[in-house]
Amino acid sequence: MPVPAANPAHGRPVRHPVFARFYERLSEAADVQSGVRAHRGELLAGLGGRVIEVGAGNGLNFARYPAEVSRVTAVEPEPRLRASAVRAARAAAVRVPVSVVAGRAEALPVGDATCDAAVCSLVLCSLPDVQKALTEVLRVLRPGGELRFYEHGRAQERPGMVRFQRALDATVGPFLFGGCHSGRDPVGEIGAAGFTDISFRRVVVPQDGPVFPASFHVLGGARRP
Ligand SMILES: C[S@@+](CC[C@H](N)C(=O)[O-])C[C@H]1O[C@@H](n2cnc3c(N)ncnc32)[C@H](O)[C@@H]1O
């Protein structure tokens, strides 16, 4: 199956070749060791109908979609990760049809109100314009449609770590980690964009052992009003 090419109408491609190689090689094993894989299952549990996944990376969520999902449109702008996602979509463990497409969160390549649910996992940290992207997610969700999110962000009640996150984000962090900012406030951003019924829980990853700037996760859902 050929890798879908970028359409200029959906924004310029994102290119992070070094990060993409690193993520492709290490993310699957890191998911298992850190407990992220279990959180992905919780992120997707109970979903059904048409789903858009924003910034799908190498497709680590694909095998965890429930059978009630009729189609996943997986949007990924980075060419190497998109090629990986195409391979992941064909794996035997994937129970639902997954179409991998090029595109950016800020200009999602699907029509208004065409999706029952949207999924953002570990992606809001990497977007140049989070509000624009969330406004796009609102546009493509049907009224009452659900956003599921699993994101990392600002360390709560750890001022030393918050200072470290700020310093990292203002210097080498985005350059080293594919545009990632460790200290954003994903739940605040989701609320500011106009989602309602926001519910979430905080998880620290890994649960035991040392913490890192990207250890402070939120796992939850919200709705388009
Ligand atoms: C840390 S990876 C997470 C990948 C995947 N969502 C996961 O859970 O493993 C961040 C992803 O965001 C993607 N990304 C970066 N900028 C983006 C944009 N403007 N629109 C959509 N995705 C973007 C990257 O290419 C990458 O796949």
Side-chain angles (χ1 to χ4, degrees):
M1 192 193 296
V3 178
N7 175 345
H10 298 136
R12 63 187 193 291
V14 167
R15 289 196 190 278
H16 292 298
V18 177
F19 170 78
R21 265 171 207 269
F22 161 84
Y23 201 75
E24 203 180 25
R25 288 203 187 154
L26 302 181
S27 54
E28 198 162 357
D31 258 26
V32 177
Q33 280 162 17
S34 64
V36 166
R37 178 173 280 190
H39 297 151
R40 291 185 189 278
E42 188 177 335
L43 170 74
L44 306 175
L47 284 179
R50 301 151 303 169
V51 176
I52 184 161
E53 183 173 335
V54 180
N58 47 341
L60 292 177
N61 287 328
F62 296 169
R64 282 167 187 81
Y65 279 99
E68 290 73 22
V69 168
S70 54
R71 171 155 299 277
V72 177
T73 302
V75 180
E76 173 51 50
E78 210 291 325
R80 187 179 187 98
L81 290 174
R82 189 164 64 251
S84 242
V86 168
R87 290 192 292 275
R90 287 193 302 229
V94 178
R95 288 173 287 179
V96 304
V98 178
S99 315
V100 177
V101 297
R104 297 175 68 106
E106 300 84 352
L108 292 172
V110 302
D112 297 357
T114 51
C115 302
D116 299 298
V119 170
C120 288
S121 76
L122 307 175
V123 71
L124 297 182
C125 55
S126 302
L127 302 181
D129 189 338
V130 178
Q131 282 301 305
K132 195 170 178 189
L134 289 171
T135 302
E136 269 294 271
V137 173
L138 283 169
R139 176 184 70 76
V140 305
L141 278 176
R142 64 165 169 76
E146 198 180 357
L147 166 65
R148 294 283 184 92
F149 56 89
Y150 176 48
E151 295 290 339
H152 68 83
R154 195 173 304 155
Q156 297 292 312
E157 294 158 19
R158 293 184 192 235
M161 180 57 89
V162 171
R163 281 196 294 279
F164 184 44
Q165 288 179 321
R166 255 189 228 132
L168 190 64
D169 291 355
T171 55
V172 295
F175 174 73
L176 290 177
F177 304 115
C180 175
H181 298 75
S182 60
R184 285 185 174 166
D185 173 13
V187 175
E189 296 276 6
I190 289 165
F195 285 89
T196 57
D197 303 329
I198 301 173
S199 63
F200 69 98
R201 69 184 183 94
R202 295 189 186 280
V203 284
V204 176
V205 172
Q207 199 178 347
D208 304 308
V211 290
F212 305 96
S215 286
F216 305 91
H217 294 206
V218 286
L219 176 56
R223 283 197 186 275
R224 176 185 160 175

